[in-house]
């Protein structure tokens, strides 16, 4: 009984803390204006890092988008690592006049290893030291024309690491891509924006972020290789007192999976990756939170805590104890019912947030009102699928696998100009 009581107390404290934090973030996002940064004092020199595996069809769109930016083009160099490619990715990049290095390693698979290889190569060539900061993009991304100018404002405002506004380029394709799109809208509007207003660090999301030369040197290039290397990188920044900024005005478009099986595997990999990060860093994160009284550490603790998995294990342990005769089955049935009620409440909250996000960020969504209504109604299915995914993550060992991209774009000022050219 004592074990179960302690677990219940722990889950109640963590769950209440996470709920309060979310409510505070929502209120801050609704009542306060996003943080605005002054014009940058000077233009910095940037390197764009792209890990690409068989991306010959979509890379030209990304490169055209970057080259259509209003930032001085002589201060932007694009470096692509063609990672275990079997197509003409390397040749396509070379034909476009950009830097490309090829990597062939069937043992160390994943974006983290590819970025390590690329930065190590740049340092060996003596090229890395000439840049003030490094951007990380995926091959299927494209950006608005003022992207680098806006990111540079936040960078020069004193943030060594900066992440941007991320939204789906194929939001209106189907209910799966819109589910991811709504999820990212919520992260941007009700999490990262509020973090900046409150003075906490933002969370990088795998693509569309930058880090300074000093951060690169501190990490001796790139040394993050878990399945969620972005979460590991962000956590490392918090533990080292490095503030992560968020730029609401720098918009990045990212292609989302359109098949549910692809989305399932992607989110399963992320869930396993978050469990890895929690296992390796939870102790250090809690210690840092207590010692430094760092709200960013508290934020990341609540963000990474595997609530669903913890509740599932609590219920399993409860029924095991009931089978051994230590407690009654009826008491554990009530715990299960309470958990289900909590899940339904969470689903309703997320559905309300989905509607609110779509209203507040309507100008960033490429979909008709009718489609948007349907996507909001289908979002609970997307959201609730995270429950079995989080449970399966306890026993799964997924490997990094590339997702085939269609190169689908929406019309922005940058890609329309590139097409006319």
């Amino acid at each position: 009984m004592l074990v179960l009581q302690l677990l219940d107390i722990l889950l109640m404290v963590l769950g209440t803390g996470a709920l309060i934090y979310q409510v505070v973030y929502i209120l801050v996002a609704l009542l306060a204006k996003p943080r605005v940064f002054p014009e940058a004092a000077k233009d910095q020199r940037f390197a764009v890092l792209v890990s690409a595996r068989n991306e010959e069809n979509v890379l030209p769109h990304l490169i055209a988008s970057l080259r259509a930016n209003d930032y001085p083009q002589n201060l932007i160099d694009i470096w692509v690592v063609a990672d275990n490619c079997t197509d003409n990715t390397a040749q396509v990049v070379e034909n476009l006049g950009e830097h490309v290095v090829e990597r062939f390693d069937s043992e160390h698979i994943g974006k983290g290893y590819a970025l390590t290889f690329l930065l190590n190569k740049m340092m060996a060539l003596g090229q890395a030291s000439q840049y003030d900061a490094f951007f990380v993009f995926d091959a299927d991304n494209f950006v608005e024309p003022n992207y680098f100018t806006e990111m540079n404002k936040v960078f020069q405002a004193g943030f060594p690491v900066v992440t941007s506004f991320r939204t789906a380029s194929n939001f209106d394709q189907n209910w799966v891509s819109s589910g991811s799109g709504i999820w990212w809208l919520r992260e941007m509007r009700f999490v990262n924006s509020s973090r900046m207003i409150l003075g906490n660090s933002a969370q990088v999301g795998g693509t569309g972020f930058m880090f300074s030369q000093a951060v690169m040197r501190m990490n001796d290039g790139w040394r993050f290789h878990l399945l969620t290397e972005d979460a590991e990188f962000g956590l490392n920044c918090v533990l080292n007192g490095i503030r992560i900024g968020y730029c609401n005005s720098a918009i990045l478009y990212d292609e989302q999976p359109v098949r549910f099986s692809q989305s399932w595997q992607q989110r399963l990999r992320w869930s396993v990756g978050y469990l890895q990060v929690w296992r390796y860093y939870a102790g250090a994160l809690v210690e840092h939170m207590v010692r430094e009284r760092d709200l960013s550490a508290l934020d990341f603790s609540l963000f990474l805590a595997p609530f669903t998995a913890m509740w599932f294990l609590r219920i399993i342990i409860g029924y095991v104890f009931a089978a051994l005769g230590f407690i009654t089955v009826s008491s554990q049935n009530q715990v299960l019912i309470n958990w289900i009620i909590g899940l339904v409440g969470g689903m309703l909250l997320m559905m309300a947030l989905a509607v609110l996000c779509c209203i507040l960020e309507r100008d960033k969504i490429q979909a008709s009102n009718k489609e948007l209504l349907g996507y909001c109604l289908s979002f609970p299915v997307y959201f609730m699928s995270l429950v079995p995914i989080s449970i399966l993550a306890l026993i799964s060992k997924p490997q990094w696998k590339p997702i085939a991209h269609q190169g689908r774009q929406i019309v922005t000022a940058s890609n329309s100009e590139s097409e006319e050219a």
Side-chain angles (χ1 to χ4, degrees):
M1 282 296 295
L2 179 60
V3 173
L4 293 181
Q5 288 174 350
L6 290 175
L7 283 174
D8 288 342
I9 293 172
L10 174 62
L11 290 170
M12 184 178 297
V13 170
L14 289 175
T16 302
L19 179 60
I20 292 173
Y21 229 67
Q22 183 66 70
V23 171
V24 169
Y25 275 173
I26 293 171
L27 292 176
V28 169
L30 292 174
L31 299 176
K33 293 182 178 179
R35 188 169 173 181
V36 178
F37 296 89
E39 295 295 325
K42 64 176 182 177
D43 294 329
Q44 303 283 346
R45 186 171 182 83
F46 298 133
V48 171
L49 311 179
V50 184
S51 172
R53 184 172 183 179
N54 294 338
E55 300 282 17
E56 62 180 5
N57 293 324
V58 297
L59 260 174
H61 299 308
L62 168 64
I63 292 174
S65 171
L66 300 178
R67 289 305 178 196
N69 250 247
D70 60 15
Y71 198 81
Q73 288 297 304
N74 63 313
L75 297 180
I76 299 175
D77 289 338
I78 299 174
W79 289 80
V80 177
V81 52
D83 186 29
N84 290 301
C85 291
T86 57
D87 67 353
N88 295 317
T89 292
Q91 188 62 52
V92 166
V93 176
E94 187 175 331
N95 291 343
L96 291 171
E98 310 297 352
H99 301 281
V100 60
V101 297
E102 293 188 83
R103 172 181 181 266
F104 298 98
D105 187 338
S106 58
E107 182 179 354
H108 302 98
I109 303 296
K111 180 178 175 180
Y113 290 109
L115 289 176
T116 297
F117 180 87
L118 178 57
L119 279 171
N120 285 348
K121 187 73 172 180
M122 292 170 66
M123 288 189 288
L125 293 172
Q127 297 283 346
S129 59
Q130 65 180 302
Y131 301 109
D132 297 295
F134 304 82
F135 281 81
V136 176
F137 292 112
D138 288 339
D140 60 296
N141 300 158
F142 56 98
V143 299
E144 288 286 354
N146 63 343
Y147 185 89
F148 289 101
T149 299
E150 295 301 308
M151 291 288 278
N152 190 35
K153 292 179 183 179
V154 185
F155 178 53
Q156 292 201 40
F159 291 90
V161 180
V162 185
T163 190
S164 58
F165 186 100
R166 182 179 180 181
T167 187
S169 62
N170 57 338
F171 190 102
D172 63 338
Q173 198 158 0
N174 64 14
W175 72 275
V176 178
S177 62
S178 69
S180 296
I182 291 173
W183 185 270
W184 285 115
L185 283 178
R186 184 195 63 84
E187 286 281 320
M188 300 301 108
R189 179 75 191 203
F190 291 124
V191 182
N192 272 349
S193 182
S194 298
R195 282 167 171 161
M196 285 300 291
I197 296 169
L198 295 173
N200 291 351
S201 281
Q203 171 64 44
V204 298
T207 185
F209 67 95
M210 64 182 292
F211 52 90
S212 69
Q213 171 78 218
V215 171
M216 188 276 291
R217 291 194 175 279
M218 181 189 77
N219 293 313
D220 194 24
W222 184 269
R223 58 184 179 86
F224 309 102
H225 304 128
L226 297 180
L227 287 174
T228 47
E229 77 285 333
D230 53 340
E232 185 184 9
F233 170 71
L235 187 53
N236 179 74
C237 289
V238 170
L239 292 175
N240 283 281
I242 296 170
R243 298 177 68 202
I244 305 175
Y246 166 65
C247 184
N248 185 68
S249 55
I251 301 176
L252 171 133
Y253 299 92
D254 184 37
E255 187 177 326
Q256 301 301 316
V258 294
R259 295 204 306 269
F260 185 72
S261 59
Q262 289 180 328
S263 175
W264 179 285
Q265 288 300 321
Q266 183 186 65
R267 288 181 291 156
L268 178 60
R269 176 171 59 83
W270 290 347
S271 295
V272 174
Y274 289 141
L275 287 176
Q276 289 177 338
V277 173
W278 179 258
R279 184 177 68 191
Y280 292 133
Y281 293 97
L285 190 60
V286 172
E287 179 185 350
H288 179 82
M289 177 181 64
V290 174
R291 186 180 68 250
E292 302 295 334
R293 297 182 179 87
D294 187 352
L295 285 179
S296 292
L298 172 62
D299 189 336
F300 275 53
S301 297
L302 295 174
F303 171 74
L304 291 170
F307 290 109
T308 303
M310 292 167 71
W311 265 111
F312 177 74
L313 291 175
R314 159 63 181 89
I315 291 170
I316 294 298
I317 293 172
Y319 279 113
V320 169
F321 278 26
L324 295 174
F326 297 137
I327 54 177
T328 64
V329 174
S330 61
S331 67
Q332 297 315 294
N333 288 340
Q334 188 59 51
V335 172
L336 177 60
I337 291 172
N338 291 340
W339 183 48
I340 293 173
I341 292 173
L343 289 175
V344 173
M347 179 189 69
L348 295 175
L349 174 63
M350 292 301 293
M351 189 172 179
L353 286 179
V355 174
L356 193 55
C357 279
C358 291
I359 293 173
L360 296 175
E361 303 292 345
R362 184 68 184 89
D363 60 328
K364 298 185 179 72
I365 301 173
Q366 301 291 318
S368 67
N369 289 335
K370 183 178 179 180
E371 289 174 328
L372 206 49
L373 176 60
Y375 295 148
C376 287
L377 291 174
S378 65
F379 182 69
V381 179
Y382 177 90
F383 171 71
M384 290 302 291
S385 65
L386 282 171
V387 175
I389 287 173
S390 299
I391 294 172
L392 284 174
L394 294 170
I395 58 174
S396 297
K397 294 183 179 180
Q399 300 297 317
W400 183 88
K401 293 181 180 179
I403 294 177
H405 296 123
Q406 302 175 23
R408 188 172 186 267
Q409 298 190 86
I410 60 177
V411 177
T412 68
S414 59
N415 61 44
S416 64
E417 288 173 6
S418 66
E419 288 175 2
E420 290 173 3

